[in-house]
Amino acid sequence: MDISSYKGVMVFAEQRAGVIQKVAFELLGIGRDIADRLEEPLVAVLMGSGLSPDCIQALIAEGADEVVVVDHPRLDLYRTGPCAQALTQVIGAVKPGIVLLGATAIGRELAPIVSARMRTGLTADCTSLEIEDGSRNLLMTRPAFGGNIMATIICPEHRPQMATVRPGVMRRKVSDPARPGAVRTLEIDLDGSEGPVEVLEVVSEKAALKNIEDATVLVAGGRGLGGFENFRRLEELAETFGGMVAASRAAVDEGWVAQDRQVGQTGKTVRPDLYLACGISGMIQHIAGMEESEFIVAVNTRADAPIFEYADLGIVTDANRLVPALIEELKAVKASR
Ligand code: FAD
């Protein structure tokens, strides 16, 4: 394969019901850095039916040099067949050197199919993306062997180099509505032979009230809390802070809290202003999901707990004594205002 004909960075701008997913903007952030480093363009691909110009403009404002728009009635709702065929055709036409997708339910399904059709490799769940000096290959780093090592993977002989990144891992750039950018409409060939699936009805799942990825304060609990009742007290503390409760996998496995609150490698990646970790040891799989938090406070009975290596403030004490005292103190402060 003549890999020199593949240039630029392409971001799959995932949209659902006309709303561009946050991860697409995060990918534009890292995509912009990579494109600048390579001195090549950053292209966003927007696929759907009846797409609004506002979506296109938002992608340009957050860093895309060009938005490739694929508007087709068969792309009205996400279906793997038509979507995979459309994206494969777009990649074939644009020939980007790098393609980035969010590791969402859609991205996780689409990326391997498209990479297989392009006869190239895919690195899933990357936590860092950089360009190698000299070779200009994409260095795709992700946790391996249960998170015990970080593996850096390259795809030197095939193009495009494809990677997925989980939501919350990369940072968005500041939006600039005045940023100029080009728009290209691509005609693609979908003739109805892309798979037998027809969507009969869409039933939306009742969303959780709030997502821990959006919280500015997280009070997280681990196995060290010792029981369900102790864990429940974190709710009250989180409420006093105007935040949410999060958890280690051990606390989820104990059944003290739902899985959608789990932080870490197999949970969510969070970046709150304050992360208060109570009774969490700080295993690498947990750290992977919260180390980018602005300010980390760790409470642990053991002074040698690994979590203290990542904490801005460490408190060596029994969390089950500290939490009720903290609730009382915060209530008193609030009442005195
Ligand atoms: P423990 O490791 O048991 O730590 C409890 C801590 O509480 C200890 O440090 C102890 O000193 C302290 N303690 C005890 N009593 C008190 C007290 N009264 N007050 C204060 N401190 C106290 N884990 C995740 O969290 N998220 C993930 O996404 C995740 N993914 C994984 C993926 C893989 C492939 C694997 C192999 C593991 C994964 N894990 C994940 C599990 C991870 O390795 C740890 O087992 C887990 O994070 C431990 O949870 P913990 O810190 O709550 O419990």
Side-chain angles (χ1 to χ4, degrees), residues 145-148 166 221-226 230 247-253 256 259 262-268 275 277-289 299-308 315-322:
F145 294 108
N148 290 313
R166 285 165 46 171
R223 183 157 34 211
L225 293 176
N230 290 337
S248 71
R249 181 157 125 180
V252 172
D253 289 348
W256 300 338
Q259 207 275 335
Q262 184 184 317
V263 170
Q265 189 189 324
T266 43
K268 290 182 174 166
Y275 190 86
C278 302
I280 294 178
S281 56
M283 292 294 105
I284 188 68
Q285 296 89 354
H286 186 80
I287 299 298
V299 185
N300 200 299
T301 41
R302 291 188 61 143
D304 61 351
I307 188 92
F308 288 131
I315 307 171
V316 181
T317 191
D318 179 349
N320 293 324
R321 289 181 57 207
L322 182 77

Side-chain angles (χ1 to χ4, degrees), residues 13-31:
E14 181 179 329
Q15 59 85 17
R16 296 187 197 179
V19 178
I20 297 181
Q21 301 299 291
K22 218 172 72 181
V23 68
F25 294 116
E26 294 164 2
L27 292 177
L28 284 177
I30 182 70

